Amino acid sequence: MLNQRFPYAKEIFETVIENAYVWIVIVDANGKIIYMNDNYCRFCEVTREAVIGRHVTEVIENTRMHIVVQSGEEEIADLQYIKGNYMIANRIPIFADNKVVGAFGTVMFRDTKEWHEMNSHVRHHLSSIQSFLEKQEITGAKYTLNDIQSNSRVMTELKDKVKIIAATDSSVLIRGESGTGKELFAHSIHLLSHRSEKPFIKVNCGAIPEQLLESELFGYEDGAFTGAKKGGKKGKFQQADGGTIFLDEIGDMSLQMQVKLLRVLQEKEVEPVGSTKSFSLDVRVITATNRPLEALMEKNEFRNDLYYRISVIPLFIPPLRERMEDLEILVRYFLKKVSTRTGKRISMIQEGVMETLHHYHWQGNIRELENIIEAAIHLAKTDVITLDAIPDYIKKPAVFHYQQASLKEMVNEAEKNILIATINKYDGDKRKAAKALGISKSSMYEKVQKYELG
């Protein structure tokens, strides 16, 4: 009857099923295979002709299709271990005349990594919905990739990388100069991960006094020290259990604290100050720094083993002066943001202002740009931002003119620009940059410190 109404129905259905993204298997009431699409057959290294009529347990590892036929109950998004990978499978009984006559099974994601990546992709799109953001603010994270304004290729590639790594639980080390937006990336990674509904705990390791950092991170028991809160207190790691902890300015942590942190990361458990009991942890660790950790390691000021523990996935955020194609979109973004917050309407910005901003060096990066725009909005006499509203130091030439600089100054400026360009070319890998320039690693780190390149 169907073929009479739709003469190519068989060909249409076969084409759709064979080219479906999912893998498909159908069994009869006895658990014997009556259909299996080519994608699934190829994965199982069998031919369709060879599997038709065979019991499903003889073909598919750890299958439960025959059990679903017996129980008549569907199993949705169940983990199934096949050929060394966990896959996400659905199994649905087929009813006819009020009885189970077979079952239909699909594998939607070929492994759990594929599922997590798809989950991160969906979360990225959800992040633009206000209700989703309001929900996430409860966890402590509020910035997403949508808050990172950019047009440059390097930032697009960086965002794409974040979408991929968010699906993992690997430690991430975010490198970049002060003011480049390292914290925004940490927030984004958390909100794109499967931990997004769990806590996101931030700790600035450089802002907490050394004597307080241990109890702040790991907590303490009642009476652990003079002035301890009655009943004790959970540390940041315990507060982040199930979620993510973001350790900013990790390069400022003392060697003594580095040893204690390393133990927590290795053992995945924490022992509060004054306690004899350890508590297990399930925490993803994201760290950030603007300091040259490699140079600190050479001086024995940062532990090698801790470095390799926290930098499983390194991210380098380039400074604004190396991606000036992002300047205009950032200016427009901050104009709208600050104008909305202050209630002062700004309709436009003079072309001369944008030209001046393009010639400035932006040592303070995105944070400095936002401050400049905020100041300009307050100082603007009309609804147009003019050069009069821009601080004087911004208007000064950002480069040396030959007649105004000594030979040493010009050489230093040229060397600095070459270092910046080479380090950026190798995505922040200073060892590769040093090799390309024909200098030693120690020379590279000395120059990085000399020019404060982070």
Side-chain angles (χ1 to χ4, degrees):
M1 182 67 178
L2 184 62
N3 284 337
Q4 291 177 356
R5 294 180 60 190
F6 304 102
Y8 300 108
K10 180 176 181 294
E11 290 80 1
I12 291 173
F13 287 135
E14 284 184 353
T15 300
V16 171
I17 291 175
E18 287 304 329
N19 290 278
Y21 181 71
V22 297
W23 297 344
I24 298 171
V25 63
I26 304 174
V27 300
D28 63 15
N30 297 314
K32 293 183 177 181
I33 297 174
I34 60 176
Y35 179 82
M36 191 168 175
N37 71 345
D38 284 341
N39 286 336
Y40 212 164
C41 287
R42 279 195 295 271
F43 176 73
C44 293
E45 298 178 336
V46 295
T47 63
R48 186 183 302 169
E49 293 75 16
V51 301
I52 299 300
R54 292 177 62 185
H55 197 272
V56 68
T57 56
E58 300 174 8
V59 179
I60 301 175
E61 182 182 1
N62 296 317
T63 183
R64 289 177 53 85
M65 291 291 291
H66 58 301
I67 296 175
V68 170
V69 169
Q70 295 169 4
S71 69
E73 296 181 0
E74 66 180 24
E75 298 179 352
I76 303 297
D78 188 40
L79 284 179
Q80 182 175 341
Y81 191 77
I82 311 177
K83 297 175 75 67
N85 283 302
Y86 280 102
M87 304 186 177
I88 299 174
N90 295 327
R91 309 177 190 96
I92 302 172
I94 301 172
F95 288 88
D97 297 328
N98 294 320
K99 63 180 181 180
V100 179
V101 298
F104 172 71
T106 61
V107 174
M108 295 182 62
F109 300 97
R110 274 71 67 89
D111 53 45
T112 51
K113 178 177 180 290
E114 194 173 80
W115 157 250
H116 286 311
E117 288 181 0
M118 180 63 74
N119 198 18
S120 295
H121 181 72
V122 172
R123 289 180 187 278
H124 172 59
H125 289 290
L126 282 174
S127 66
S128 61
I129 303 175
Q130 187 62 34
S131 60
F132 178 79
L133 283 177
E134 290 172 354
K135 178 182 179 184
Q136 297 307 324
E137 285 181 359
I138 299 172
T139 71
K142 57 183 179 180
Y143 300 113
T144 72
L145 292 181
N146 294 316
D147 294 303
I148 302 173
Q149 304 293 309
S150 63
N151 280 328
S152 60
R153 180 185 59 81
V154 65
M155 291 298 286
T156 299
E157 291 175 352
L158 190 56
K159 288 181 182 181
D160 289 341
K161 186 175 182 180
V162 166
K163 293 175 189 176
I164 296 172
I165 67 172
T168 75
D169 272 336
S170 300
S171 299
V172 179
L173 172 61
I174 306 175
R175 309 285 293 269
E177 296 179 8
S178 178
T180 50
K182 296 186 290 295
E183 183 174 339
L184 270 66
F185 277 92
H187 282 245
S188 300
I189 292 170
H190 174 75
L191 288 179
L192 290 176
S193 75
H194 64 94
R195 298 174 180 268
S196 62
E197 296 185 1
K198 299 295 183 179
F200 176 80
I201 304 297
K202 300 173 290 183
V203 182
N204 188 324
C205 300
I208 302 174
E210 171 65 24
Q211 62 272 23
L212 299 179
L213 187 56
E214 181 178 3
S215 60
E216 188 71 17
L217 286 177
F218 310 137
Y220 56 82
E221 291 292 293
D222 189 3
F225 50 84
T226 303
K229 182 180 178 182
K230 188 175 181 180
K233 179 184 177 182
K234 280 187 175 181
K236 298 297 187 182
F237 269 91
Q238 282 184 279
Q239 293 175 35
D241 194 31
T244 303
I245 189 166
F246 174 47
L247 303 176
D248 198 6
E249 306 297 350
I250 188 73
D252 293 339
M253 185 178 285
S254 70
L255 282 172
Q256 183 180 2
M257 275 304 303
Q258 291 176 34
V259 173
K260 296 177 180 179
L261 174 61
L262 180 62
R263 181 189 173 280
V264 170
L265 299 183
Q266 288 176 332
E267 304 298 330
K268 296 185 178 179
E269 61 181 25
V270 62
E271 184 177 304
V273 177
S275 175
T276 57
K277 181 181 179 182
S278 296
F279 299 89
S280 60
L281 292 171
D282 173 24
V283 177
R284 184 182 194 171
V285 178
I286 301 176
T287 55
T289 185
N290 62 357
R291 301 194 65 189
L293 296 185
E294 294 84 357
L296 294 179
M297 286 189 289
E298 288 191 358
K299 296 177 181 178
N300 293 320
E301 294 177 6
F302 199 87
R303 293 181 63 94
N304 291 44
D305 44 9
L306 178 59
Y307 173 80
Y308 293 116
R309 175 70 63 172
I310 64 176
S311 62
V312 176
I313 300 176
L315 290 181
F316 174 73
I317 307 175
L320 177 57
R321 61 184 172 276
E322 294 178 16
R323 49 184 178 96
M324 292 299 284
E325 57 265 52
D326 289 336
L327 181 68
E328 187 166 342
I329 190 174
L330 285 165
V331 169
R332 303 295 176 191
Y333 174 74
F334 290 135
L335 277 174
K336 181 178 179 181
K337 177 183 175 181
V338 178
S339 296
T340 301
R341 187 177 73 237
T342 61
K344 186 170 182 180
R345 182 175 177 271
I346 297 295
S347 63
M348 64 177 292
I349 183 169
Q350 276 188 348
E351 185 177 341
V353 173
M354 286 303 303
E355 185 177 347
T356 299
L357 297 180
H358 269 285
H359 284 91
Y360 182 61
H361 194 58
W362 297 111
Q363 198 67 33
N365 291 294
I366 312 298
R367 187 181 296 122
E368 183 181 13
L369 175 61
E370 182 174 8
N371 292 338
I372 294 301
I373 296 302
E374 181 169 355
I377 288 175
H378 287 299
L379 294 172
K381 297 176 182 178
T382 65
D383 62 346
V384 178
I385 291 181
T386 64
L387 282 170
D388 291 337
I390 301 297
D392 289 338
Y393 75 91
I394 297 290
K395 304 170 191 175
K396 293 179 180 179
V399 296
F400 289 110
H401 294 293
Y402 293 115
Q403 65 272 23
Q404 298 173 341
S406 67
L407 177 60
K408 183 178 180 181
E409 288 174 328
M410 289 188 287
V411 169
N412 285 342
E413 184 70 10
E415 183 180 62
K416 181 178 179 180
N417 290 334
I418 291 170
L419 287 170
I420 290 172
T422 308
I423 292 171
N424 187 45
K425 177 181 178 181
Y426 290 96
D427 297 321
D429 191 324
K430 296 181 180 64
R431 296 190 180 193
K432 290 183 179 178
K435 185 177 181 181
L437 292 172
I439 60 177
S440 66
K441 290 183 291 184
S442 58
S443 293
M444 169 60 79
Y445 298 134
E446 287 175 3
K447 293 179 187 298
V448 165
Q449 285 187 306
K450 175 182 177 181
Y451 297 117
E452 298 180 348
L453 301 181

